[in-house]
Amino acid sequence: MANIKKGDLVQVITGKKQDKGGDRGKQGKVLDVLIDQNRVIVEGVNYVTKHNRVGQSQRGTKTGGIETMEAPIHISNVAVVDPSTKKPTRVGHRVEEQTKDGVKRTVRVRYAKTSGKDL
């Protein structure tokens, strides 16, 4: 089971400080997890400019130009944010029994280690 999932609120814990043009300390929602590359794309973090070739669409409108987009950041450089304290925390897993339709089932649940709340 992964520690960071799509939709989690994470904070950048490494890199340049925010006041010096970096992203350290910024918080954002995970848009995508690239498992094979061990990277995540975080909303509002690690912006890059991408140059697209100018072309034409079917209707004759111009496409392309310069656009800004989020680039992937390594998964070790972000930490999940604790929902109660709004600070970065480690993630743990615990085994719980849940009953659904009269059937007991053991399920692994993620929780924030400092507060113990479920994520």
Side-chain angles (χ1 to χ4, degrees):
M1 185 175 266
N3 288 343
I4 297 176
K5 292 184 175 182
K6 184 177 178 179
D8 283 350
L9 183 66
V10 295
Q11 181 172 339
V12 179
I13 56 174
T14 58
K16 280 188 178 178
K17 288 186 180 177
Q18 238 178 321
D19 57 336
K20 295 186 179 180
D23 289 330
R24 182 169 44 169
K26 285 187 182 177
Q27 291 185 356
K29 198 170 87 171
V30 175
L31 299 175
D32 195 15
V33 179
L34 309 172
I35 298 167
D36 54 330
Q37 300 172 358
N38 285 334
R39 293 180 178 269
V40 291
I41 298 175
V42 182
E43 185 177 32
V45 175
N46 199 19
Y47 272 116
V48 293
T49 55
K50 186 175 179 183
H51 297 262
N52 289 330
R53 178 174 284 182
V54 176
Q56 278 189 333
S57 67
Q58 293 280 342
R59 298 181 184 192
T61 58
K62 297 277 185 185
T63 60
I66 300 172
E67 61 181 46
T68 57
M69 57 183 289
E70 293 100 352
I73 186 170
H74 200 270
I75 207 161
S76 65
N77 296 337
V78 295
V80 177
V81 173
D82 187 354
S84 59
T85 62
K86 302 292 184 210
K87 291 187 176 181
T89 184
R90 291 176 180 260
V91 175
H93 300 280
R94 64 173 165 244
V95 179
E96 293 181 355
E97 279 197 8
Q98 292 182 348
T99 306
K100 187 175 183 182
D101 298 331
V103 179
K104 283 189 177 180
R105 161 182 256 169
T106 56
V107 181
R108 288 183 64 190
V109 179
R110 292 187 319 150
Y111 69 96
K113 283 202 172 180
T114 52
S115 70
K117 282 196 170 187
D118 290 341
L119 294 175

